[in-house]
Amino acid sequence: MTCDGKFLAWVAVLGFCRRMPSEKYSDFMGHQASHVLLKDRGRKTVSLAHITQLVLSHNKLTTVPPNIAELKNLEVLNFFNNQIEELPTQISSLQKLKHLNLGMNRLNTLPRGFGSLPALEVLDLTYNNLNENSLPGNFFYLTTLRALYLSDNDFEILPPDIGKLTKLQILSLRDNDLISLPKEIGELTQLKELHIQGNRLTVLPPELASTADTCKQTQNHRRKIMTNRKRSAGNP
C-alpha cells in the first residue's frame, strides 16, 4: 500500500482506535492499519468528509499526503511528535481548520500559501528547525490566530509583520536564537502571554511596554477573580 493509502487507512480506523484499550492501540496502528481498506460492505468508497478531528501524534510519519485536503470539515489536526520534513501546499485548503499542531517534527520550511487558513486560531510549531526564512510570504495573513507557538526553533529575528497578528493572546518564542524583537510587537494589544526566555536578547524595544501593560492588566484581572471566588467560598 502506498504512503497515501496508509495515511487514509489510519483516518478510517481512527474512530475505532479511540475505543480500543490504550495498551492495544499502538500494536493495532503499527500492525493492522496498513491492511484496512476504505471500502464499505457494498464496496463503495467511504466518505471522510465528516471528520472534524484527526489526531496522529506520537507516530513515525515522514510526510503528509496531498489528499489531506479531502478532509474539508477538519477543525483539529494534530501531528505532534512525528518525523515530518515537509508539508504539502494542499494543507492550506482546510478552510475550517482551527487548531494545527505540528510540534516536534523535522520541518525546516513551510509551504507556499500556508497563510491561507482563514479559521486558524492555534498554531503549534515548537521543536522544529524553522527560522525567519522558513516562513512563506503570506504567513502573517493568519490574522485569526489567538496562540502561536514557535519555541525551540532557530529564529534569530522576528519579522516585523508579527504586528499584523492583532488577535494574538499567546506568543511563545522561548529557546530560539533571537537577538532582537521588532517594535511592531507593541501592536499586539490583546497579548496576554509572551514567552521569550532562553534567547540572546540584550535589549527590548520600548514598544514592548504596551504589551507588558496588557499582560499585567490580565494578571491583575485574574487575581481579582480568584480573590472574589475565595471570598465567596468563605461565606456561609
Side-chain angles (χ1 to χ4, degrees), residues 21-49:
S22 58
E23 64 272 15
K24 295 182 179 180
Y25 176 82
S26 296
D27 289 341
F28 180 84
M29 290 299 289
H31 180 67
Q32 299 290 343
S34 61
H35 300 290
V36 177
L37 298 178
L38 292 179
K39 300 286 185 179
D40 62 14
R41 292 181 180 179
R43 308 300 293 173
K44 295 179 181 179
T45 302
V46 176
S47 173
L48 304 176

Side-chain angles (χ1 to χ4, degrees), residues 31-74:
H31 180 67
Q32 299 290 343
S34 61
H35 300 290
V36 177
L37 298 178
L38 292 179
K39 300 286 185 179
D40 62 14
R41 292 181 180 179
R43 308 300 293 173
K44 295 179 181 179
T45 302
V46 176
S47 173
L48 304 176
H50 64 286
I51 292 178
T52 60
Q53 297 188 39
L54 177 56
V55 179
L56 290 167
S57 56
H58 304 287
N59 280 289
K60 295 184 179 181
L61 297 174
T62 58
T63 61
V64 177
N67 56 358
I68 187 73
E70 295 175 13
L71 308 182
K72 296 185 181 300
N73 285 311
L74 268 188

Side-chain angles (χ1 to χ4, degrees), residues 131-155:
N131 58 50
E132 55 274 12
N133 297 316
S134 304
L135 307 180
N138 71 341
F139 181 83
F140 294 100
Y141 288 6
L142 295 170
T143 55
T144 54
L145 278 181
R146 295 185 294 106
L148 175 58
Y149 300 93
L150 295 172
S151 299
D152 292 279
N153 279 286
D154 301 315
F155 286 88

Side-chain angles (χ1 to χ4, degrees), residues 81-120:
N81 191 18
N82 277 277
Q83 300 172 12
I84 298 170
E85 298 181 0
E86 62 178 346
L87 299 171
T89 57
Q90 289 85 349
I91 199 168
S92 61
S93 299
L94 301 175
Q95 299 293 287
K96 295 183 179 180
L97 195 63
K98 295 180 180 180
H99 295 247
L100 177 57
N101 191 336
L102 292 161
M104 200 171 287
N105 278 283
R106 300 177 180 178
L107 297 172
N108 54 36
T109 188
L110 297 178
R112 175 176 48 84
F114 186 81
S116 302
L117 291 165
L120 196 62

